[in-house]
Amino acid sequence: MCFYIGIEDLAANALIEILTKNSEKRFVSYEELENYGAEVVKFLCEKGEKAILILSRDCTE
């Protein structure tokens, strides 16, 4: 099985995690999303799962 992680899921989960750590912050930068996504992929790979992070600055606003 392979996980495909899209920007929408990544943004939602990153924002949820950030809000639980700091309720004042209401913005997640693209760089933070990339870093968060890389950590998710790394975590899944360590668990023996295949994961692909789908990010493109060309397709996001």
Side-chain angles (χ1 to χ4, degrees), residues 10-29 31-33 36:
L10 189 64
N13 287 306
L15 189 56
I16 290 167
E17 184 173 332
I18 288 170
L19 286 174
T20 59
K21 292 180 180 178
N22 179 359
S23 62
E24 300 294 316
K25 188 169 181 177
R26 298 278 189 237
F27 177 80
V28 179
S29 72
E31 181 178 359
E32 288 172 305
L33 284 178
Y36 185 86

Side-chain angles (χ1 to χ4, degrees), residues 1-54:
M1 176 189 246
C2 184
F3 290 92
Y4 292 91
I5 304 166
I7 188 79
E8 301 86 1
D9 295 326
L10 189 64
N13 287 306
L15 189 56
I16 290 167
E17 184 173 332
I18 288 170
L19 286 174
T20 59
K21 292 180 180 178
N22 179 359
S23 62
E24 300 294 316
K25 188 169 181 177
R26 298 278 189 237
F27 177 80
V28 179
S29 72
Y30 196 87
E31 181 178 359
E32 288 172 305
L33 284 178
E34 287 179 347
N35 293 338
Y36 185 86
E39 288 298 318
V40 170
V41 169
K42 180 180 172 187
F43 174 80
L44 289 170
C45 289
E46 288 172 353
K47 297 286 185 184
E49 301 288 347
K50 294 180 183 177
I52 298 171
L53 183 60
I54 303 170

